[in-house]
Amino acid sequence: MKSNNPDLKQLQRSGSIGNILKSDTTSFYNVPESPASNLIMETLGAGSSIADLPQRKKQISKMQYLEVNKSGPKRQVVLSNQHSEIEIEISDIDKLVGSNKPAKKMFVLALIKANEQAIHNGQLTQNSISFSLQELVDIGFYDSVRAARRGFKDGMDTLTCLKIKGKTKQSKKKESTIESLRVLFTGYDIKKGQCTIYLNDMINWEFIAQYFTILPQYYFRLPNKASDLLFYIFYLARQRVKDISEKGYFTIGFKAIQHRLNLPNEKQCLNPGRDIKEVIEEAITKIEDMNNSYYKDIKFTLTPIYNENANTADFLNNGYLKIEMGDIFAQTFVELNKSKVKAITAAIKRKEKIIDAAKAQNMAKKLEYENI
């Protein structure tokens, strides 16, 4: 979508929030997420170029330290900031060769199914999730049952070689941790067309499912780069609920999108216009086209803002994507914001009551002492 601007071309956590997100399951998926699950998606998205992750991260965030360690075929990704310390280990780098589309989308689907079948109020209530090969076809993940069978195996071969540990702060007094390196998914089966993924019941799944966001149901129908961008948009939307509530939109810099889509460095790329700028524009167009055909009555507008005459470096450094949400998408995130504010207010009131009760008790003891 383009504007007429002459200068620029506009080319939460808790069960209660989970209940809000379940209010209209026909419109979107409800996805548990966390800093840990986001790092997993970044790692899978980086693929075999995982060694470039630290430099990419440094370009978009000075507040996070990320390193990648190598030991034979094994790779270790370590992220630390003021809120989190997360370590991910991939036992075999060969599992990350290619775009990793099967693994990324299978991980998202596993989170969706875990929320529906196995995780309640952050706790694991059963150690497996299941769905049919036909469902993978129905949601647009694959074109045929045969392709779904092969893709499921490929995706799970990658996910079962992934281990994680760490701690993240949800509040000043609450932390979620996985104390030692553990696999998230211990195995998988396909029997009579039914897929089963086994979840590790020895870990704290709240570490993976700290918050909730939503995801349009056409996510699985999108090509690789477009699906990555859509997931990133809705991952950030949960964090930008204040902007959505007050302004109806939020923004993402193109530099961050370049990192998320694992696009080449503009200084080392022979054709940055084709391999970076056009890829981002195409991903945006794919999302809007799919949204318009899938949700005709739900407003979801992606507007690139940049100087039309700028080179690719300026496009990345100064351009950004404006995301406007209306109808059910915006309403859902506004409800998220209201619930978050309500939860914080309730917590403050509880704390004040505790303090008042303590003061009253101290005063009573003081009066009792004075009357002796």
Side-chain angles (χ1 to χ4, degrees):
M1 180 172 291
K2 301 179 181 180
S3 79
N4 295 319
N5 188 317
D7 299 318
L8 291 176
K9 193 137 197 181
Q10 299 194 354
L11 290 153
Q12 276 179 329
R13 92 191 109 201
S14 85
S16 61
I17 291 179
N19 291 333
I20 289 171
L21 292 178
K22 293 173 184 175
S23 62
D24 187 355
T25 56
T26 61
S27 294
F28 45 72
Y29 294 113
N30 306 314
V31 189
E33 52 97 349
S34 64
S37 67
N38 183 58
L39 184 60
I40 290 172
M41 287 293 284
E42 285 187 289
T43 301
L44 294 174
S48 53
S49 61
I50 191 173
D52 298 334
L53 264 180
Q55 185 60 35
R56 288 174 172 275
K57 199 74 170 178
K58 189 182 297 184
Q59 290 178 353
I60 63 169
S61 176
K62 306 297 183 183
M63 304 299 292
Q64 300 190 71
Y65 174 75
L66 189 147
E67 64 177 345
V68 175
N69 302 314
K70 175 181 177 182
S71 178
K74 188 184 299 182
R75 297 294 184 274
Q76 179 192 60
V77 181
V78 181
L79 174 72
S80 59
N81 56 39
Q82 59 180 336
H83 302 295
S84 306
E85 294 177 14
I86 306 166
E87 178 182 333
I88 293 173
E89 182 181 285
I90 299 290
S91 62
D92 185 356
I93 186 61
D94 288 341
K95 300 291 186 181
L96 293 185
V97 173
S99 69
N100 284 304
K101 180 179 178 180
K104 285 181 292 186
K105 288 190 173 181
M106 195 57 65
F107 179 62
V108 173
L109 183 61
L111 291 177
I112 292 168
K113 292 298 182 181
N115 179 56
E116 293 173 358
Q117 301 174 17
I119 299 176
H120 301 282
N121 294 322
Q123 304 301 311
L124 195 68
T125 56
Q126 64 182 50
N127 68 352
S128 66
I129 55 177
S130 63
F131 46 87
S132 68
L133 290 172
Q134 184 59 49
E135 183 176 352
L136 297 181
V137 177
D138 294 341
I139 64 177
F141 199 155
Y142 293 102
D143 294 331
S144 67
V145 169
R146 176 180 289 185
R149 182 184 295 273
R150 183 175 62 251
F152 174 72
K153 290 180 178 179
D154 289 344
M156 290 311 302
D157 280 345
T158 299
L159 295 182
T160 50
C161 80
L162 184 151
K163 297 180 180 178
I164 191 165
K165 78 171 183 178
K167 64 180 179 180
T168 60
K169 294 180 180 179
Q170 291 178 258
S171 65
K172 290 183 178 179
K173 295 184 178 181
K174 186 175 182 180
E175 284 187 347
S176 292
T177 62
I178 296 179
E179 296 293 345
S180 57
L181 274 172
R182 302 273 187 175
V183 293
L184 290 175
F185 307 105
T186 58
Y188 63 93
D189 286 327
I190 305 178
K191 293 181 180 179
K192 296 181 179 180
Q194 193 73 8
C195 304
T196 301
I197 300 175
Y198 296 96
L199 311 177
N200 190 344
D201 58 8
M202 299 296 290
I203 68 172
N204 175 14
W205 276 86
E206 191 177 25
F207 184 71
I208 304 298
Q210 291 180 24
Y211 309 99
F212 289 91
T213 191
I214 61 175
L215 192 63
Q217 289 192 342
Y218 56 78
Y219 165 78
F220 294 101
R221 300 182 183 276
L222 289 168
N224 189 43
K225 297 301 184 185
S227 62
D228 284 350
L229 178 56
L230 184 72
F231 186 89
Y232 188 43
I233 287 171
F234 279 86
Y235 168 75
L236 290 178
R238 194 270 306 165
Q239 303 170 40
R240 310 285 178 83
V241 288
K242 190 170 185 291
D243 285 341
I244 295 171
S245 177
E246 294 178 355
K247 299 186 293 186
Y249 71 91
F250 68 100
T251 63
I252 308 174
F254 285 142
K255 196 70 177 176
I257 293 175
Q258 177 194 29
H259 163 69
R260 190 64 181 219
L261 301 190
N262 196 37
L263 299 177
N265 186 312
E266 66 277 11
K267 296 178 181 179
Q268 302 168 0
C269 184
L270 294 177
N271 195 333
R274 179 196 65 196
D275 298 336
I276 301 174
K277 182 179 175 182
E278 289 182 13
V279 173
I280 293 175
E281 290 178 334
E282 183 180 7
I284 293 168
T285 300
K286 292 287 186 183
I287 292 172
E288 284 207 306
D289 288 348
M290 187 68 75
N291 193 83
N292 291 338
S293 64
Y294 205 85
Y295 297 141
K296 297 182 184 299
D297 57 343
I298 297 180
K299 179 184 177 182
F300 179 53
T301 306
L302 307 180
T303 308
I305 312 285
Y306 64 92
N307 186 330
E308 188 179 21
N309 299 317
N311 59 26
T312 302
D314 186 75
F315 168 84
L316 292 170
N317 294 325
N318 299 311
Y320 59 90
L321 182 63
K322 180 180 179 182
I323 299 100
E324 296 175 90
M325 292 185 170
D327 304 313
I328 189 66
F329 290 147
Q331 291 167 19
T332 300
F333 283 111
V334 167
E335 288 302 317
L336 278 173
N337 193 43
K338 289 179 180 178
S339 294
K340 183 177 180 181
V341 172
K342 186 177 179 180
I344 292 172
T345 302
I348 292 173
K349 287 183 178 180
R350 285 195 300 272
K351 186 175 181 180
E352 289 174 346
K353 285 182 180 180
I354 292 171
I355 293 172
D356 290 343
K359 286 180 178 179
Q361 188 174 17
N362 288 336
M363 181 60 71
K365 287 182 178 179
K366 181 179 180 181
L367 291 173
E368 182 180 352
Y369 177 79
E370 290 176 348
N371 291 329
I372 293 177

